[in-house]
C-alpha cells in the first residue's frame, strides 16, 4: 500500500442554473429541524434506465417506498426527466437518474443524472441535478404534485457519482467527472468536487476543486462535515488493478483540500476480478475508514469465486497519511467477499454486504470504541438474503450480489439493494430491495424483500436513500429511557421551539449549551461513552452555529480544525495566513483568558472544561492556545463572555499537523 499527500489549486468556474417548473409552495422548515427525530418508515429509490437484459428498458424514475420495515410498499413514482426534455435536442439522450440523498432536516432531496457518460460528445444531452423540496408533505400524501422540483443545469456538473449533505442541510458536496467522454482506460485524472451553498432556497456553486481520481467514485462525509472520503475505484496506472481512497478536509473553513491518499492494489498472483475497493466508508467521527476488499482469491471446482475476505481499517488521518490500523481477515470471521458498507446511526457497527456468496453479509462491531483492536466481525444469523435466485448448473446459487446498504434513522433497520451481475442478466432473476431489522435488540432478521419487475437495482452506491438520523434520534439510541433522557429532550425541544418561533438566538444557544454540558455530565457518570458524547455534542454545536449564522460578529466562526495541547489554534472561516487584522491583541505574558470581554472555553473529550489563553480576538477570527492537559478526541469550543456567542468543534490529537 502506498500513501500520497497532494494538494490542488482552485479552478475558475462559471455557473449556469436554470430553474424548472415550480409545482407548489414549500412548507416552512424550522431552523433546527435537522436536530429532530426523522421518519424511519420511508426511502427514496433511484430506478435507473441502465439496461442489464437485452431488449429490456427500465424506467427512469424516483420511487417512494413506504411502510418500512415490515411492509415495504411502492407508494409513488416520479418522472423527473420529463422536465429535462425541453433542454435536450431531438434524438439525444438526456441520461438516466442515479444518485439520491436526503437532507438532515428530512424535507429536501438531491437527485443526479448521468451515472456514466459512455456516449461520444453530441450523442447525449446535458446532465442535471434535481432539488426536491416539501419531501415530508410528499411522504404524507404520496402525491408527486406536493413536491417542489427545481433543476440545476451546470456545465461542469456532469457525470455525478457522489452526493452528500452537510450536517445542517444548507450545503452539500458533489463529486463530478465533468463534461465529455470518460476515458475508459482509467489512466487519466479528471474529477472535481464542488460545494453547493445556500440550500435549499438559493443554491450557488463554489469553484470546482480538482481531485486526483481516475474513475467515478462514491463519497462519504463525516458527521461534522469537515472530512470527505472519495472512492477512486479503478486506477489502471500500474500493472494491475488498484483503487485509491482519497481524504479531503477543510470544507468548514471554506475550501476543501486533499490531505491523504491511500492506494490499495491487487496482488499480481490473483486472477483479474473486482476492483480492490468499491465502497469505503468513514466512521461517524471521521477518524477511521472502513474499506471492504472484494478481491477474488481463486475459483473453486465449480468455477465459483472465492473471496480474499479482507476488510481494511485505515486511519487515523495524521499529517497527510492514512495508514492501515488493522486488517480484518478470515481469521477474524470475514467471509463471502465483503463489498459495500453502511455505518449504523449509533456509530458502533457497520453492515458490510457481500458480493461472492450469493447474498450474505458481515456485521462489524466496536467502531464506537475508537480502537481498531476492539473492532470485531459478528456472524449474522442467516447465510444469505434477497430474492429466491435460481440455482446454477451444479446446484449452488448463482452470483447475485448485494449493492448499497443504508440504515434507517432509528438505527433498527437497514435496506440493502440486491442487484444482478451483467453476465447473469439473461436469467429469470428478480432484482429487489431487502429490509433487515432488529439491530437494536440483536435479533437481526430479514423483515421483508420488495421485488418489482420494473426495478433495476444496479451497482450504484447512492441508489437508495433514507432520512439521516437527527440529534433526537442519536439521543434515543444512546441514553436509556428515564430522567436523564427526559432532561436532555426538554433542553433540546426548548431550543427547537425557540428557533421555530423566531426568538433571539441567545435563548436557543443557552439551551444547546446546557444540553452539551448535560451530555458531558452523563459521560462522567459512565451513562454514555466518549464516542457517543462526541456525536451528541457535535450536532448540538451545529445547532448553535445554525441559529447564530446571521450574527455578523460571530457567524463566521464555524470550525476549530485539528490541534494538540499547548499548540496555537484558530477559530474562524479561513486557514490562510497572515491572520485578518486584529481588534484586540494580547501583549501580556502569561496570556490572558479574556480579551475585549471575549473568552474561549474548551470542553475536552473527557468532559473537562478549561479557559483557553488568548492571543487575539477579531470579528471573524480568534487565535488561542489549546490548554495544557486537554484530552485527545473531539472537543467543544465555546466563545463568549457573559453568554455564549458561538461554538465550534476541534479534533485534539497528541500530535497536530504543524
Amino acid at each position: 500500500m502506498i500513501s500520497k499527500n497532494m494538494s490542488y489549486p482552485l479552478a475558475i468556474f462559471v455557473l449556469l442554473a436554470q430553474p424548472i417548473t415550480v409545482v407548489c409552495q414549500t412548507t416552512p422548515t424550522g431552523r433546527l429541524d435537522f436536530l429532530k427525530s426523522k421518519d424511519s418508515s420511508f426511502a427514496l429509490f433511484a430506478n435507473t434506465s441502465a439496461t442489464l437484459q437485452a431488449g429490456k428498458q427500465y424506467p427512469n424514475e424516483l420511487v417512494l417506498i413506504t411502510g418500512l420495515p415490515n411492509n415495504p410498499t411502492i407508494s409513488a413514482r416520479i418522472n423527473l426527466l420529463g422536465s429535462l426534455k425541453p433542454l435536450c435536442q431531438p434524438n439525444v439522450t438526456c441520461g438516466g437518474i442515479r444518485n439520491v440523498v436526503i437532507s438532515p432536516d428530512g424535507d429536501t432531496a438531491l437527485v443526479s443524472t448521468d451515472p456514466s457518460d459512455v456516449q461520444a460528445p453530441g450523442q447525449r444531452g446535458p446532465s442535471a441535478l434535481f432539488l426536491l423540496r416539501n419531501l415530508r408533505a410528499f411522504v404524507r400524501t404520496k402525491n408527486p404534485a406536493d413536491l417542489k422540483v427545481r433543476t440545476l443545469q451546470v456545465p461542469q456538473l456532469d457525470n455525478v457519482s457522489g452526493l452528500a449533505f452537510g450536517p445542517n442541510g444548507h450545503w452539500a458536496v458533489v463529486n463530478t467527472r465533468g463534461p465529455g467522454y470518460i476515458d475508459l482506460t482509467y489512466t487519466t485524472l479528471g474529477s472535481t468536487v464542488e460545494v453547493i451553498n445556500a440550500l435549499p432556497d438559493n443554491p450557488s456553486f463554489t469553484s470546482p476543486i480538482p481531485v486526483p481520481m481516475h474513475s467515478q467514485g462514491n463519497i462519504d462525509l463525516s458527521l461534522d462535515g469537515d472530512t470527505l472520503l472519495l472512492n477512486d475505484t479503478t486506477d489502471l496506472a500500474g500493472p494491475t488493478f488498484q483503487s485509491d481512497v482519497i481524504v479531503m478536509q477543510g470544507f468548514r473553513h471554506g475550501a476543501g483540500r486533499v490531505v491523504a491518499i491511500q492506494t490499495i492494489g491487487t496482488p499480481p498472483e490473483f486472477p483479474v476480478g473486482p476492483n480492490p475497493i468499491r465502497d469505503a466508508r468513514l466512521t461517524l467521527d471521521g477518524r477511521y475508514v472502513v474499506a471492504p476488499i472484494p478481491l477474488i482469491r481463486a475459483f473453486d471446482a465449480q468455477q465459483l469465486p472465492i473471496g480474499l475476505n479482507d476488510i481494511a481499517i485505515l486511519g487515523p488521518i495524521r499529517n497527510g497519511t492514512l495508514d492501515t490500523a488493522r486488517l480484518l481477515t478470515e481469521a477474524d470471521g470475514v467471509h463471502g467477499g465483503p463489498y459495500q458498507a453502511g455505518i449504523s446511526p449509533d456509530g458502533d457497527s457497520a453492515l458490510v454486504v457481500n458480493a461472492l456468496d450469493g447474498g450474505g453479509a458481515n456485521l462489524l462491531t466496536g467502531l464506537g470504541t475508537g480502537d481498531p483492536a476492539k473492532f470485531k466481525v459478528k456472524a449474522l444469523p442467516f447465510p444469505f438474503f434477497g430474492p429466491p435466485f435460481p440455482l446454477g448448473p451444479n446446484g449452488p446459487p448463482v452470483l447475485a450480489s448485494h449493492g448499497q446498504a443504508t440504515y434507517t434513522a432509528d438505527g433498527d433497520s437497514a435496506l440493502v439493494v440486491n442487484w444482478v451481475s451483467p453476465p447473469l442478466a439473461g436469467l429469470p432473476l428478480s432484482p429487489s430491495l431487502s429490509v433487515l431489522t432488529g439491530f437494536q435488540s440483536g435479533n437481526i432478521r430479514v423483515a421483508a424483500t420488495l421485488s418489482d419487475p420494473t426495478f433495476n437495482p444496479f451497482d450504484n452506491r447512492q441508489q437508495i436513500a433514507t432520512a439521516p438520523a437527527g440529534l433526537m434520534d442519536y439521543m434515543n439510541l444512546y441514553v436509556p429511557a428515564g430522567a436523564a433522557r427526559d432532561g436532555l429532550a426538554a433542553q433540546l425541544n426548548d431550543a427547537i421551539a425557540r428557533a421555530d418561533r423566531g426568538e433571539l438566538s441567545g435563548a436557543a444557544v443557552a439551551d444547546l449549551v446546557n444540553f452539551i454540558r448535560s451530555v458531558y455530565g452523563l459521560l462522567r457518570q459512565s451513562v454514555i461513552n466518549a464516542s457517543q458524547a462526541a456525536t451528541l455534542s457535535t450536532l448540538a454545536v451545529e445547532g448553535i452555529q445554525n441559529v447564530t449564522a446571521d450574527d455578523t460578529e460571530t457567524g463566521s466562526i464555524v470550525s476549530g480544525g485539528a490541534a494538540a495541547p499547548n499548540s496555537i489554534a484558530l477559530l474562524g472561516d479561513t486557514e490562510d495566513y497572515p491572520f485578518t487584522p486584529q481588534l484586540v491583541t494580547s501583549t501580556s505574558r502569561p496570556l490572558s483568558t479574556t480579551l475585549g470581554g471575549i473568552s474561549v472555553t474548551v470542553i475536552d473529550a473527557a468532559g473537562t472544561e478549561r479557559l483557553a489563553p488568548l492571543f487575539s480576538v477579531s470579528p471573524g477570527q480568534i487565535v488561542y492556545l489549546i490548554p495544557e492537559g486537554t484530552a485527545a478526541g473531539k472537543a467543544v469550543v465555546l466563545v463568549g463572555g457573559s453568554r455564549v456567542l458561538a461554538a465550534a468543534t476541534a479534533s485534539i490529537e497528541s500530535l497536530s499537523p504543524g
Side-chain angles (χ1 to χ4, degrees), residues 47 178 258 276 326 331 334 507 518 527 606:
N47 200 16
V258 175
R326 187 177 175 193
V334 182
S518 297
V527 176

Side-chain angles (χ1 to χ4, degrees), residues 12 107 115 199 215 246 257 297 372 389 393 407 411 425 479-480 518 528 558:
I12 298 174
D107 202 45
L199 290 170
S215 62
I246 303 169
R257 69 204 183 284
R297 182 177 68 215
F389 295 115
Y407 280 84
V479 184
S518 297
I528 58 176
V558 295

Side-chain angles (χ1 to χ4, degrees), residues 5-360:
N5 183 22
M6 311 175 79
S7 60
Y8 293 82
L10 297 181
I12 298 174
F13 181 75
V14 178
L15 171 65
L16 172 63
Q18 285 187 292
I20 305 300
T21 307
V22 174
V23 179
C24 69
Q25 296 298 316
T26 58
T27 302
T29 301
R31 180 162 282 195
L32 295 182
D33 276 6
F34 68 98
L35 301 180
K36 297 179 180 178
S37 289
K38 301 304 180 305
D39 186 352
S40 295
S41 69
F42 81 95
L44 295 177
F45 175 66
N47 200 16
T48 181
S49 64
T51 300
L52 291 181
Q53 298 187 33
K56 183 175 179 59
Q57 184 71 21
Y58 294 96
N60 266 303
E61 59 189 4
L62 189 66
V63 178
L64 172 65
I65 299 170
T66 59
L68 302 175
N70 297 309
N71 225 356
T73 304
I74 299 173
S75 295
R77 299 174 184 263
I78 312 162
N79 178 15
L80 293 173
L81 296 186
S83 62
L84 276 183
K85 289 183 179 178
L87 303 175
C88 295
Q89 301 173 4
N91 302 320
V92 172
T93 302
C94 267
I97 62 173
R98 163 164 179 182
N99 295 316
V100 55
V101 289
I102 298 174
S103 66
D105 66 9
D107 202 45
T108 304
L110 286 171
V111 183
S112 67
T113 67
D114 285 335
S116 178
D117 181 10
V118 296
Q119 296 167 307
Q123 295 180 354
R124 55 177 300 279
S127 184
L129 185 67
F130 298 102
L131 177 65
L132 279 61
R133 300 181 61 186
N134 272 17
L135 185 59
R136 289 180 296 189
F138 166 58
V139 172
R140 287 194 302 270
T141 66
K142 317 298 188 296
N143 184 359
D146 284 329
L147 281 174
K148 179 180 178 181
V149 181
R150 182 175 181 181
T151 306
L152 302 176
Q153 294 291 151
V154 184
Q156 285 83 349
L157 197 65
D158 207 352
N159 299 300
V160 172
S161 60
L163 298 168
F165 272 102
N168 64 9
H170 297 318
W171 59 279
V173 182
V174 181
N175 182 41
T176 172
R177 183 68 186 184
Y181 183 78
I182 286 182
D183 174 18
L184 296 181
T185 66
Y186 302 112
T187 57
T188 60
L189 303 174
S191 293
T192 62
V193 166
E194 300 174 29
V195 179
I196 314 174
N197 290 313
L199 290 170
D201 298 315
N202 302 296
S204 62
F205 291 79
T206 62
S207 299
I209 306 168
V211 181
M213 294 183 66
H214 304 80
S215 62
Q216 291 186 293
N218 309 317
I219 65 178
D220 194 24
L221 194 63
S222 62
L223 187 67
D224 63 4
D226 198 53
T227 301
L228 181 71
L229 176 70
L230 301 102
N231 294 278
D232 186 10
T233 60
T234 310
D235 175 356
L236 296 183
T240 60
F241 285 102
Q242 60 187 33
S243 299
D244 303 313
V245 177
I246 303 169
V247 177
M248 301 182 70
Q249 290 180 331
F251 290 96
R252 303 307 306 270
H253 293 279
R257 69 204 183 284
V258 175
V259 297
I261 301 177
Q262 176 77 299
T263 298
I264 298 179
T266 303
E269 67 271 17
F270 282 13
V272 175
N275 303 319
I277 297 292
R278 180 62 181 88
D279 177 43
R281 294 294 307 273
L282 287 167
T283 55
L284 210 58
D285 58 8
R287 296 187 70 227
Y288 292 97
V289 177
V290 177
I293 302 177
L295 287 172
I296 295 174
R297 182 177 68 215
F299 291 91
D300 63 15
Q302 299 172 340
Q303 293 304 300
L304 293 176
I306 301 173
L308 176 63
N309 297 331
D310 284 353
I311 300 176
I313 308 299
L314 311 177
I317 303 160
R318 289 197 181 105
N319 298 324
T321 63
L322 188 65
D323 295 327
T324 302
R326 187 177 175 193
L327 187 66
L328 295 161
T329 67
E330 287 183 343
D332 299 294
V334 182
H335 70 282
Y339 191 56
Q340 296 201 29
I343 305 294
S344 65
D346 65 9
D348 193 58
S349 61
L351 178 63
V352 184
V353 296
N354 296 340
L356 302 178
D357 63 355

